[in-house]
Amino acid sequence: MTTQIPDLKILDKFKFKLKPVGVKFLLFKPEGIGKLKKKLSICEMIREAQKEEPFYAVVDNFTCVEPILLGMAEGDPVFESGHIGQELGIFEEARANRRLYHYITKLERNSVNYVALSSTDKLTFTPDVLILSVNPTQLEIIQRALCYATGKMWVSQGTPVIACSWILTYPYIHGEVNSLITETSHGMTAKKIFPPGTILVSIPYDRIAQLVDGLEKINWYPKLMTEGKEYHDKVFAAADKKLHKKLEQDAK
């Protein structure tokens, strides 16, 4: 794996309660890290990586539908027909659950044999997806940093189940930053993987530099947002007046 690891020191400024995690999809076995010695869902693996040493997982380590999404295994008719969702009472009929498979993203079959996960303070590889566990205040700063130079809107895509698609394969394939409240995921809620109120922000590899650049440029806690309504309205009105005056002068 490449040694050109992104400089993510600026993330330390957030003082996250849960460490950021880098994820990489690999055809060849990664060097320098060991194989996971237990079976988990990939959502649980993210939490594992926040607490333990870096590791990689193979198809036999997964306990949910992740191998299908990662191209490690053929589809399963029980899942892809939607009958599992009806049987569990998550969906009214199988057809409702089946619809999800037209939304979710999958990696090419046999293109991934290993998935490496590591907290960012122990990274030995360049992440394909960077996952941040944040609160609403931290999310606002991240979204504003990403929007600062581009004006590009943010998105929050998801479904009640198969949340792993929206935090892993969707950002990776589409190049979109995505955010997801963990309590909106059936599996993450049932297994109590993350503390209540955790928001996962998934950043694809080609947007990581943009995030870092934006975080370095913006004022994280601008007075316009922290000093209350009166201060906000006063500053806003002054800026509005100034710009309209300039517009009038230009018209003369």
Side-chain angles (χ1 to χ4, degrees), residues 82-94 97 160-161 186:
H83 279 280
I84 187 70
Q86 179 181 343
E87 183 70 18
L88 294 173
I90 302 172
F91 295 94
E92 183 177 31
E93 293 187 43
N97 191 173
V161 296
H186 175 84

Side-chain angles (χ1 to χ4, degrees), residues 45-140:
M45 290 182 189
I46 294 169
R47 192 73 182 93
E48 184 82 359
Q50 291 174 328
K51 299 181 290 184
E52 305 295 340
E53 293 298 309
F55 60 85
Y56 68 84
V58 297
V59 64
D60 292 337
N61 288 118
F62 295 100
T63 60
C64 198
V65 298
E66 304 95 332
I68 298 173
L69 301 177
L70 298 171
M72 292 176 158
E74 297 291 347
D76 185 324
V78 168
F79 289 101
E80 294 185 328
S81 67
H83 279 280
I84 187 70
Q86 179 181 343
E87 183 70 18
L88 294 173
I90 302 172
F91 295 94
E92 183 177 31
E93 293 187 43
R95 63 185 181 184
N97 191 173
R98 186 204 302 265
R99 177 172 283 173
L100 272 59
Y101 288 88
H102 296 284
Y103 301 146
I104 62 174
T105 47
K106 302 179 185 178
L107 302 185
E108 291 296 321
R109 183 75 174 96
N110 296 321
S111 65
V112 174
N113 289 328
Y114 307 90
V115 180
L117 295 94
S118 171
S119 58
T120 52
D121 60 335
K122 300 175 182 177
L123 273 177
T124 60
F125 54 84
T126 56
D128 290 333
V129 181
L130 174 65
I131 300 175
L132 309 179
S133 302
V134 308
N135 61 39
T137 299
Q138 293 165 340
L139 175 64
E140 187 280 323

Side-chain angles (χ1 to χ4, degrees), residues 3-242:
T3 56
Q4 297 178 347
I5 302 168
D7 185 354
L8 300 173
K9 291 179 181 177
I10 194 167
L11 297 180
D12 295 341
K13 186 177 175 181
F14 281 107
K15 298 181 180 179
F16 292 123
K17 292 184 178 179
L18 305 179
K19 294 179 180 181
V21 171
V23 182
K24 195 167 188 69
F25 310 116
L26 299 156
L27 179 63
F28 303 108
K29 183 185 295 186
E31 298 178 0
I33 60 177
K35 180 178 177 293
L36 180 66
K37 293 181 173 62
K38 59 181 78 174
K39 293 180 180 291
L40 299 169
S41 68
I42 201 162
C43 301
E44 293 173 299
M45 290 182 189
I46 294 169
R47 192 73 182 93
E48 184 82 359
Q50 291 174 328
K51 299 181 290 184
E52 305 295 340
E53 293 298 309
F55 60 85
Y56 68 84
V58 297
V59 64
D60 292 337
N61 288 118
F62 295 100
T63 60
C64 198
V65 298
E66 304 95 332
I68 298 173
L69 301 177
L70 298 171
M72 292 176 158
E74 297 291 347
D76 185 324
V78 168
F79 289 101
E80 294 185 328
S81 67
H83 279 280
I84 187 70
Q86 179 181 343
E87 183 70 18
L88 294 173
I90 302 172
F91 295 94
E92 183 177 31
E93 293 187 43
R95 63 185 181 184
N97 191 173
R98 186 204 302 265
R99 177 172 283 173
L100 272 59
Y101 288 88
H102 296 284
Y103 301 146
I104 62 174
T105 47
K106 302 179 185 178
L107 302 185
E108 291 296 321
R109 183 75 174 96
N110 296 321
S111 65
V112 174
N113 289 328
Y114 307 90
V115 180
L117 295 94
S118 171
S119 58
T120 52
D121 60 335
K122 300 175 182 177
L123 273 177
T124 60
F125 54 84
T126 56
D128 290 333
V129 181
L130 174 65
I131 300 175
L132 309 179
S133 302
V134 308
N135 61 39
T137 299
Q138 293 165 340
L139 175 64
E140 187 280 323
I141 296 169
I142 290 165
Q143 290 177 328
R144 185 155 44 90
L146 286 164
C147 187
Y148 185 68
T150 67
K152 189 174 182 179
M153 71 176 186
W154 56 76
V155 298
S156 179
Q157 302 270 20
T159 48
V161 296
I162 322 180
C164 48
S165 170
W166 302 106
I167 60 177
L168 290 171
T169 55
Y170 170 79
Y172 178 63
I173 291 173
H174 293 288
E176 293 283 358
V177 176
N178 198 33
S179 59
L180 181 74
I181 302 171
T182 56
E183 279 94 335
T184 63
S185 162
H186 175 84
M188 283 189 272
T189 300
K191 297 177 183 180
K192 296 180 172 57
I193 299 172
F194 294 93
T198 301
I199 304 168
L200 298 182
V201 183
S202 300
I203 304 162
Y205 63 93
D206 50 337
R207 301 288 298 278
I208 294 175
Q210 181 188 24
L211 171 65
V212 171
D213 184 63
L215 290 173
E216 290 173 344
K217 290 179 178 177
I218 68 168
N219 181 346
W220 286 32
Y221 305 102
K223 291 180 65 176
L224 197 63
M225 296 180 67
T226 61
E227 294 298 307
K229 171 180 166 54
E230 290 186 7
Y231 180 85
H232 174 277
D233 290 353
K234 178 181 177 181
V235 173
F236 186 90
D240 181 58
K241 182 179 180 180
K242 176 183 177 182

